[in-house]
Amino acid sequence: MNRRDALKLAALALTLPSASVAWAKDAFTVLNPPQKSDDPSKIEVIEFFHYGCPHCRDFDPLVAVWKKKLPADVAFRHVPAIWNNAQLGGLARLYYAAEASGTLDALHAGIFGAVQDDKRPLFTEEQVREWIDGKVADPVKFIETYKSFGVNSMVQRADQLARAMKIQGVPTVVVDGKYVTSASLTGSHEDTLKVTDELIARVRKERSAK
């Protein structure tokens, strides 16, 4: 899902080192300047998403299967896109509250469904409080986490990261803070994950050459 009529990422398109796939050319862009990952010892893969995006919802089960097979030198994480939008900021806060409270696996698919199918506006504390009741063991503790300084910091960091990486649409995948790919470049969600695998291999080769 594009951010309205946002322009494509302004970065240099390169060809993957392997010609094993017909869609390799222009299947990703290069972020300039590249951004440092939180854990330089790992090859970090980030998927930017938001719960109101139907394409993110379609991509999510594919990612869930794919990430289970990642090697030990790769770290994957979701980052909610916000774009200075209060509603998306509220959904990002809900995501990080679920992650921090250990309830993300139980709630993740349900949040997609609530937002997209049930049209639940889970953007404020009151709306989340009403929706979460009966879905977690301790709703009071969940809301405390939702309002916490730690979650607030995570939301701010997510917004900063999306700006630094020039994210204009979701779902978008960024590998090692430098290589950016999405279905708008690859043609499909499945091919996005294939390109991501190729980019992981590319980063691994770059690091071994240093």
Side-chain angles (χ1 to χ4, degrees):
M1 173 182 287
N2 289 329
R3 182 192 174 192
R4 297 176 182 167
D5 296 323
L7 296 175
K8 292 183 178 179
L9 292 169
L12 177 64
L14 297 177
T15 302
L16 286 164
S18 169
S20 60
V21 286
W23 33 260
K25 187 176 182 180
D26 300 331
F28 67 97
T29 60
V30 179
L31 188 62
N32 187 19
Q35 301 297 308
K36 293 182 179 179
S37 65
D38 288 353
D39 184 358
S41 68
K42 301 280 189 178
I43 300 172
E44 185 178 60
V45 178
I46 297 174
E47 183 212 339
F48 288 90
F49 84 106
H50 71 73
Y51 283 117
C53 167
H55 303 296
C56 296
R57 189 181 187 184
D58 291 342
F59 192 38
D60 196 65
L62 300 177
V63 171
V65 173
W66 171 83
K67 69 181 182 180
K68 291 178 181 178
K69 303 175 183 178
L70 289 174
D73 65 339
V74 179
F76 173 84
R77 63 182 171 127
H78 288 99
V79 172
I82 299 173
W83 295 312
N84 199 34
N85 180 293
Q87 293 183 348
L88 294 184
L91 292 176
R93 181 174 295 278
L94 176 54
Y95 171 83
Y96 283 120
E99 183 179 62
S101 65
T103 59
L104 184 61
D105 288 346
L107 296 177
H108 190 57
I111 299 172
F112 272 119
V115 172
Q116 296 188 32
D117 299 335
D118 303 334
K119 310 302 180 185
R120 293 290 295 265
L122 302 179
F123 311 134
T124 68
E125 177 186 338
E126 181 180 355
Q127 292 161 350
V128 170
R129 186 190 302 274
E130 179 183 352
W131 181 76
I132 206 70
D133 188 43
K135 294 181 174 63
V136 296
D138 192 339
V140 173
K141 186 175 181 180
F142 184 93
I143 293 299
E144 289 176 354
T145 302
Y146 177 90
K147 297 188 295 181
S148 69
F149 174 80
V151 165
N152 187 59
S153 297
M154 292 175 188
V155 172
Q156 291 180 351
R157 173 57 179 155
D159 194 32
Q160 292 169 356
L161 197 60
R163 292 174 186 272
M165 293 186 173
K166 303 178 177 69
I167 302 303
Q168 299 294 329
V170 290
T172 293
V173 176
V174 180
V175 179
D176 200 40
K178 179 166 59 173
Y179 298 117
V180 184
T181 189
S182 66
S184 64
L185 296 173
T186 67
S188 72
H189 294 320
E190 291 82 1
D191 282 351
T192 296
L193 293 178
K194 292 177 184 177
V195 170
T196 301
D197 285 333
E198 296 264 5
L199 292 171
I200 291 170
R202 181 188 182 103
V203 172
R204 193 178 291 119
K205 184 176 180 180
E206 290 172 346
R207 291 186 177 189
S208 67
K210 291 182 179 180

